[in-house]
Amino acid sequence: MRSSLLKSTSELLRRSRGYSSSANPERKVAILGAAGGIGQPLALLMKLNPLVSSLSLYDIAGTVGVAADVSHINSPALVKGFMGDDQLGEALEGSDVVIIPAGVPRKPGMTRDDLFNINAGIVKALSTAIAKHCPNALVNMISNPVNSTVPIAAEVFKKAGTYDEKKLFGVTTLDVVRAKTFYAGKAGVPVTDVNVPVVGGHAGITILPLFSQATPASNSLAQEDIVALTKRTQDGGTEVVEAKAGKGSATLSMAYAGAVFADACLKGLNGVPDIIECSYVQSTVTELPFFSTKVCLGKNGVEEVLGLGELSDFEKQGLENLKGELKASIEKGIKFAHGN
């Protein structure tokens, strides 16, 4: 039972892409914030990924126990736990992919600015360490608000002289996962066959699922269905927070989405062709400096930023509606990076 679960989970992460254990180089993955609500299930999923040979788990506290727990799983990745500022450099050294779910969830009485300042400060500090200890790593940013934390990391890397636009990603995969799930349920098609591009950003109206480009296409959805699916995808995080009665957020689905995107990055690094995922990256697709679209992943990170494709009138309006908010979030991140 357990071995079959391991096999099926690994197979799910492979997502039908080519994999040959004898042809893959050793890859180190570091998770920063590994003892948290996202970090722990993400550590589990990355331990199950056959492309990971070394798994480095870092947090300010609690990492030793998480690492011991995860290390007992009978999969090849070697696991080490690191804790506190003095061990951050060792945790990062030699990493091929760094995943950052570090940060705090919003708590009662905490304003959005309070949350921003705390998480932005954490991201700035971690990015400074990445620039020093593993400047060539692919950086997968999960810490919210992604619309701002990715620009913060970019500015930190620029200051350090290590910035490579091809190697910094905002992980928006959860928006894609939700769009696929919700679309499949409404259209009555097998969810495993569904693909839905999601563009824009990673919060509220900046999330723009392109259901007009969904495959397999469905003729059963009316315009009001598309509007409702779009709104549900945008409000997916709130749906989970409310279902957990304010005592948690989307940790498990986010961990899965983070594992899917990291898996894609590893496959790209290993030379597997045609690895395409949506991600929030430096972009010239719109007038905004950062934007999420489909990107082709390869040995250097982003091989190509793909365009928007043909949009419906509803999606064109959504695109115009999101630009102001996304622009403000990007500028807020850049200002924080320079002002603190």
Side-chain angles (χ1 to χ4, degrees):
M1 170 67 178
R2 288 176 182 170
S3 61
S4 64
L5 175 62
L6 176 65
K7 185 177 179 181
S8 61
T9 304
S10 298
E11 192 62 38
L12 186 61
L13 286 172
R14 288 175 204 163
R15 301 172 73 214
S16 302
R17 295 171 184 149
Y19 166 70
S20 170
S21 58
S22 61
N24 288 311
E26 292 194 348
R27 295 293 184 192
K28 177 179 177 179
V29 173
I31 300 176
L32 309 185
I38 296 170
Q40 290 196 43
L42 179 58
L44 166 67
L45 291 170
M46 295 315 296
K47 177 71 168 88
L48 297 178
N49 190 309
L51 302 180
V52 180
S53 55
S54 175
L55 183 60
S56 180
L57 305 181
Y58 172 84
D59 215 319
I60 57 172
T63 335
V64 174
V66 175
D69 194 359
V70 172
S71 71
H72 291 180
I73 295 168
N74 60 320
S75 63
L78 297 176
V79 181
K80 289 186 179 180
F82 301 90
M83 201 162 63
D85 292 345
D86 57 333
Q87 294 186 0
L88 178 54
E90 187 182 354
L92 289 170
E93 204 73 46
S95 294
D96 296 288
V97 177
V98 179
I99 314 172
I100 311 179
V104 299
R106 190 175 175 187
K107 299 172 184 175
M110 184 185 289
T111 67
R112 291 190 182 276
D113 279 342
D114 291 337
L115 182 66
F116 172 83
N117 287 329
I118 294 169
N119 285 354
I122 291 170
V123 166
K124 188 175 181 181
L126 295 176
S127 298
T128 301
I130 291 168
K132 181 178 180 181
H133 296 286
C134 56
N136 295 316
L138 303 190
V139 178
N140 293 0
M141 186 70 68
I142 292 174
S143 302
N144 274 320
V146 166
N147 291 352
S148 299
T149 54
V150 169
I152 289 171
E155 293 304 307
V156 171
F157 296 153
K158 286 176 186 177
K159 185 177 180 181
T162 65
Y163 181 54
D164 184 343
E165 66 189 68
K166 296 180 179 181
K167 296 185 176 182
L168 176 60
F169 304 88
V171 180
T172 60
T173 313
L174 181 53
D175 302 325
V176 176
V177 166
R178 286 173 172 151
K180 289 179 178 181
T181 302
F182 302 157
Y183 175 85
K186 194 68 178 176
V189 295
V191 69
T192 51
D193 297 338
V194 169
N195 196 19
V196 182
V198 182
V199 304
H202 186 56
I205 66 164
T206 70
I207 301 167
L208 183 61
L210 304 182
F211 290 113
S212 70
Q213 298 178 22
T215 54
S218 172
N219 296 321
S220 64
L221 299 181
Q223 182 60 26
E224 54 264 33
D225 295 322
I226 299 298
V227 173
L229 286 171
T230 300
K231 185 77 164 61
R232 191 180 178 199
T233 304
Q234 292 171 340
D235 294 342
T238 302
E239 183 177 318
V240 175
V241 169
E242 289 177 351
K244 292 186 176 182
K247 295 180 180 178
S249 58
T251 53
L252 301 175
S253 52
M254 183 63 249
Y256 168 74
V260 165
F261 188 75
D263 178 67
C265 287
L266 290 167
K267 286 186 169 66
L269 287 174
N270 289 353
V272 178
D274 302 321
I275 304 298
I276 295 175
E277 294 286 346
C278 291
S279 184
Y280 181 66
V281 297
Q282 183 171 313
S283 172
T284 56
V285 169
T286 71
E287 65 270 27
L288 299 171
F290 293 91
F291 201 81
S292 182
T293 54
K294 290 191 289 188
V295 298
C296 184
L297 300 169
K299 293 183 177 182
N300 298 306
V302 176
E303 294 293 336
E304 184 181 3
V305 177
L306 303 175
L308 292 169
E310 188 174 344
L311 305 182
S312 68
D313 289 342
F314 174 71
E315 291 160 355
K316 289 176 183 175
Q317 187 59 55
L319 177 62
E320 293 308 311
N321 292 345
L322 70 81
K323 287 180 179 178
E325 183 172 324
L326 186 51
K327 182 174 185 287
S329 296
I330 293 168
E331 289 174 349
K332 187 173 184 178
I334 293 171
K335 183 179 179 182
F336 182 91
H338 290 284
N340 287 269

